[in-house]
Each structure stands twice: as structure tokens, then as C-alpha cells.
Amino acid sequence: MSKKELILRRNALFAVFLLPGMTFASWVSRTPEIREILDISTAMMGWIIFGLAFGSIFGLLSANRFILKTGGRFVIISSIIFLSIGLSIISIGILIATSTIVFLGLVLFGVGYGLVEVATNVEGAKLEKIAKKTILPALHASFSAGTLVGAGLGALAIFIQLPIYIHLSFIIVIILTIVWSAYRFIPEGTGKFIITNEKIKTPLKVNLWKEKRTLLICLIVLGMAFAEGSANDWLPLAIVDGFLVEPTIGTAIYAIFLSAMFLGRISGGYFLDKYGRVIVLRILAGLAIIGLTLVILSTNLVFASIGVALWGLGASLGFPVSLSAASDDPRGAVARVGFVSVAGYLAFLVGPPILGIIGEHIGLINAMSIVLVLVIIAGIVSHSAKELKMTD
């Protein structure tokens, strides 16, 4: 592969990594208004968000099978179509103020979200091998940049009082245009090659439930992914309800969280290489603990905003570092990475709706205490992510 082809392929992946983040943040940025339009409680909003969790888990668990048969590029294109159809149905549900239709739209949206998360990471891993340099952290930073773009467009849409269905329709046009422009630079069959090759190279069967280190890594990813997912699903609403501010302010503070996540991911590689996983994870867990405590206990929006920034920075590297730790031992690495990934995405996607149901009774801000406890546990067991020194 020529240098020019490699650059085009890399840039295409950067563009594709933006899309799930942008669409997800576009939905989240309008959730305070959506709740009002549907005239539902916080608990009912939590049940509706379960549609997203359900669809995403289906997409995540079935992605490898589809990639094996069709290759990563086809799955990426299909997943973006699912995201677009899901957003369209959500828009219709909001337009006619029907919760059931919004729920169904979120299910399809979730399927696309789960599929694209796996397929893009498969493509990114393959590109990393070809380029012989670390690329995945920067690609994940591109996802975070997408969330920033989505939140920014959401804040603008709220400011100019753009109807939600028009806003989401605009997002659909953007993501379809980007994937149409980028897909030709992503080769066919990448995923099939990787999965087949991994199966040949890694025939070892492992009992993951008996591996102490793997289970402790799952605790790290559970705490950190839950911290990230809870903010993504509930932060705008929590700020609106907890501090009695306008939706525009809630979305702006959500953008602070996303900016901190992006900063942590774009700079994380340097600190991980210099200081190692354990020290970095412990410091980040400490920052997240301080940040969440400020958000939960503060009655001042400025201090809460500082807390949100620390929360985002602290949660930024938990997921990717856990996946790297799970892959240290090449014998059974695929099984371990898959196991940790499912744990992380379950926390990221299923945990927040449960938080919403609890938040109906004690308030969303107070419900974040559950997130705080899990982050504390993640910090305590962070030693399990220490790099393994493999011998021949």
C-alpha cells in the first residue's frame, strides 16, 4: 500500500469515527426538550433510553458475525443506514409526541451504534498493523470530537429554536454525506481477514470467569464506562433539573464534559507511554472522584462546571486502557478483549437508564452517587491493568 493510499484510508477512518459520536451527542443535547415534548417523567425517560441500550447490545453482540461474512466496510455502511433510519423514526415520534415511536427509533439507532463501534475498531486495528504505529487512541479522540460537534450543533439548534425534527434531519444528511464520501477509501473484507486470522492464531480456549486479572479489569471498565455513559445520557437533564437552568446551559455544560474527554484521549498516549497505565489510571480516577463529588455536593453552577470538567478528564482513558490491558497476553487475547468490551458497553449503555429510574425518586444529581462509588472501586483495582511482561 502506497503512502498516499494509507493517508486516504486513515483520513476516511477519522471521518467515520466522528459519526457515532456526533449522532449520539445530537440526541443527548435535545433530551431536556424531548422529555418536555413527550410530557413524561425522568423514570419514563429512562425506560425510553433502554431502547437505545437494547439495540446497541444487539448490535455489539452480532457485529462479529456480520463482519466475518461481509467485511468491515459493508457493516460500517449498513450501520450508518440504521443510525439514519433510527434518527428519522425518533424525529417522527417527537413530531407527533409519541413515546413508543421514539423508543422504537432508539432501538434501531442503537443497533446501528453497536455495529459501527465494532466495525470501526476492527478497521482501526488493521490500519494500526499496516502503519506499524499507534493510531487507535487518536481515532477514539475523533469519536470524542464528533460528540463535541454534535453537542455544539445541538446547542446552536436550541439557541435558534430549531425544531428537533429539522435538527435531526440535518444530522442525517451530514452522516450520509460523510460515509458516502469516505467509504471508497476503506478496503473490502478487512474484518473477515482479521477475525479469520485471529481464530487461526489464537486457538487457546480460556475460562475468563476464573481469571482474577480479567475480572478486575472488568471492574475498571465498568466504573469508567458507567461514568462516561451516565454523563452522555443524563448530564444535560441533570444540570437543568439540579440547578434550574435553561436547556442551553445544560447542553453547554455537557460540551465541557465532552471537551475534557477529548483532551484526555488526544493526550493520553503520551502520559501512558511515560508513566504507565496504573499511575495514569489512579490519577484519572482521583480526578473523576473529585469532579463527581463537586457535581453532587455543589450548589454553585461554576463549581459544578469545574467538577464536570474533572469528571470528563478522569473518565477519558478507562475504556481504551482496559482494552489494552486485556490484550497483553496474545494467548486468548481476542476472547479477553471481547469479554471486557461487553462489560464496558453494558455499563455504558444499560447502566444509565437504570440511573434515570433511580433518579426519578432521589434526583439525577443525587443518583450520580452510584457512579461515584463505581469510580472509587475502579481506582482501587487499577493495579490490575499493569503491563504484563510476556516471555517466549
Side-chain angles (χ1 to χ4, degrees), residues 250-330:
T251 300
I253 292 177
Y254 174 53
I256 293 174
F257 177 86
L258 298 177
S259 299
M261 288 284 295
F262 175 74
L263 178 63
R265 284 176 171 168
I266 202 70
S267 62
Y270 168 80
F271 292 103
L272 287 167
D273 289 341
K274 186 171 184 178
Y275 299 108
R277 296 176 192 152
V278 176
I279 291 176
V280 171
L281 280 177
R282 285 175 176 169
I283 291 173
L284 292 181
L287 292 176
I289 289 166
I290 294 171
L292 280 161
T293 302
L294 281 173
V295 172
I296 294 166
L297 298 181
S298 177
T299 56
N300 183 289
L301 189 59
V302 174
F303 286 117
S305 300
I306 294 170
V308 166
L310 294 175
W311 175 2
L313 188 61
S316 62
L317 293 179
F319 208 148
V321 169
S322 297
L323 293 177
S324 295
S327 66
D328 278 347
D329 187 348

Side-chain angles (χ1 to χ4, degrees), residues 33-40 45 48 93-94 97-99 102:
E33 296 166 278
I34 292 169
R35 184 183 59 175
E36 296 303 317
I37 290 171
L38 298 178
D39 192 23
I40 56 176
M45 193 69 179
I48 289 175
I94 294 169
T98 305
S99 300
V102 174

